[in-house]
Amino acid sequence: MDARLLRAARTALVDCMGISKKEVLLVIMDEPLREIGYVFWEAGRRLGIESILVEMIEREMHGSEPPDAIAKLMAGVDVVMAPTNKSLSHTNARRAACDKGVRIATLPGITVDSMRRTLAVDYKNKVKGPTERLAKLLSAASQARVVTPAGTDITMSLKGRDGEADTGIAHTGGDFTNLPAGEAYIAPMEGTANGKIVADGSMAGVGLLRKPLTIHVKNGYAVKFEGGKDADTIRRLVNKVGKLGCNIAELGIGTNVKAHIVGNVLEDEKAIGTVHIAIGDNRSMGGKVSVPLHLDAILRKPTLSLDGKVIMKDGRMMK
């Protein structure tokens, strides 16, 4: 077994999840992430923790629900690690388990390389502080604007919504994190986003973009996708769930010093110097839209303004 992977899994269980020998660990995997799922189970076993490993058939889309049997298992343990190819983050099963006090980390689509690098970061001292500071700025703001050299120019209302900090630390009952962690995010008010998003990094459902993908936004919804085959792919995914899949769901800022844009949105959205804007489900973030789809668009060199004050310029945080 890969020693670096095993160390990364142990770090995630001990430092990020704060797991103890008195607790029960559930690892949920699917076929594409079978190797990583088994590493988490083995790390739990070696820590002397009662560890359960379950494999499900890969879901169709990010946000699709797991089988009922697995949802019930999730609600009956102490800690869940979910390295699956399609994300369980924005599912009713994940939310219900957290409501019962279960601590959960999802790792959708994580690669061996990403796990080795990004789970080794010092979350407590390198990620937690900056992420919480940005989350407070998002909470205090009423309006956001994002502009990029690639052509993004979009505004949205944040009034009445709270920013969240995904620090990678999930030690309290009901905590949820996405590993690798490192982002501050918020759900914009539905119906308020207007402008244009030009994704020039990566896009969930596609990966690393061959050319920019443009999303035109009107009154809180994506109304047009441009960008060749990649745009066609996103359009097909959205059409499967209907208009709510076009909801402008999230504004996020990457804060993980080890993360890079590699074509895996799980890592890409955590990269320092990036902003991501998602469409689809935002219920997990305090929004009102529940739909089995959540797609993040990663933007390079963004300038982010909150209530007219620039807090990030061309991907660099302002002091």
Side-chain angles (χ1 to χ4, degrees):
M1 180 171 290
D2 188 313
R4 289 178 63 192
L5 275 184
L6 195 59
R7 285 197 298 271
R10 182 188 175 97
T11 296
L13 290 174
V14 175
D15 295 350
C16 294
M17 307 308 294
I19 200 165
S20 74
K21 291 184 179 180
K22 295 180 180 179
E23 295 184 306
V24 176
L25 167 68
L26 172 66
V27 179
I28 304 169
M29 64 183 183
D30 51 19
E31 190 276 332
L33 271 73
R34 185 179 290 159
E35 176 186 6
I36 289 174
Y38 183 75
V39 169
F40 275 111
W41 179 84
E42 179 64 18
R45 186 187 71 82
R46 294 190 186 190
L47 285 167
I49 296 161
E50 185 67 62
S51 302
I52 302 168
L53 180 66
V54 61
E55 180 174 333
M56 67 179 183
I57 296 172
E58 182 182 352
R59 302 293 92 182
E60 182 180 8
M61 295 185 293
H62 294 290
S64 294
E65 295 292 330
D68 289 343
I70 289 181
K72 290 177 181 177
L73 278 175
M74 292 171 68
V77 298
D78 299 291
V79 174
V80 173
M81 304 298 290
T84 55
N85 202 40
K86 298 297 189 299
S87 178
L88 295 182
S89 300
H90 304 280
T91 61
N92 292 327
R94 198 280 300 166
R95 288 187 283 258
C98 283
D99 286 344
K100 289 184 177 294
V102 182
R103 309 194 304 284
I104 298 178
T106 57
L107 304 91
I110 192 168
T111 65
V112 167
D113 174 66
S114 179
M115 184 169 169
R116 287 170 178 159
R117 285 184 296 102
T118 62
L119 292 191
V121 72
D122 184 346
Y123 284 103
K124 182 179 179 181
N125 295 305
K126 297 293 186 181
V127 176
K128 187 173 185 290
T131 306
E132 290 179 341
R133 182 178 68 83
L134 286 170
K136 288 179 181 178
L137 291 176
L138 291 173
S139 294
S142 296
Q143 188 82 5
R145 183 186 182 191
V146 182
V147 179
T148 69
T152 295
D153 192 348
I154 188 169
T155 60
M156 60 197 74
S157 173
L158 309 182
K159 191 173 182 180
R161 292 285 163 81
D162 292 327
E164 301 287 345
D166 184 13
T167 65
I169 308 297
H171 292 184
T172 303
D175 280 354
F176 166 68
T177 188
N178 187 234
L179 293 177
E183 64 168 310
Y185 60 90
I186 194 168
M189 286 296 294
E190 294 82 4
T192 66
N194 284 283
K196 181 171 65 173
I197 303 165
V198 182
D200 59 341
S202 61
M203 180 87 194
V206 173
L208 202 63
L209 291 168
R210 294 170 285 234
K211 65 178 183 178
L213 191 159
T214 300
I215 304 171
H216 297 270
V217 178
K218 184 176 181 180
N219 297 329
Y221 289 92
V223 295
K224 186 178 180 181
F225 301 93
E226 296 178 318
K229 292 182 179 180
D230 291 338
D232 292 340
T233 297
I234 299 303
R235 194 179 300 111
R236 285 195 296 270
L237 291 172
V238 167
N239 287 342
K240 289 181 179 181
V241 299
K243 182 178 179 180
L244 291 180
C246 294
N247 170 60
I248 301 303
E250 176 189 7
L251 170 65
I253 308 164
T255 62
N256 188 317
V257 295
K258 295 284 188 179
H260 306 290
I261 297 179
V262 296
N264 181 346
V265 170
L266 172 70
E267 177 176 350
D268 300 349
E269 67 178 3
K270 314 303 182 353
I272 294 283
T274 67
V275 159
H276 54 279
I277 299 174
I279 59 175
D281 184 279
N282 67 359
R283 185 178 167 194
S284 299
M285 304 170 175
K288 299 178 180 178
V289 173
S290 180
V291 64
L293 184 78
H294 183 89
L295 303 176
D296 295 277
I298 314 300
L299 315 180
R300 299 177 186 266
K301 297 183 178 180
T303 294
L304 171 62
S305 303
L306 298 178
D307 294 335
K309 181 180 179 180
V310 176
I311 69 163
M312 176 187 282
K313 184 172 177 62
D314 296 329
R316 294 179 178 269
M317 294 303 304
M318 306 300 288
K319 294 183 179 179

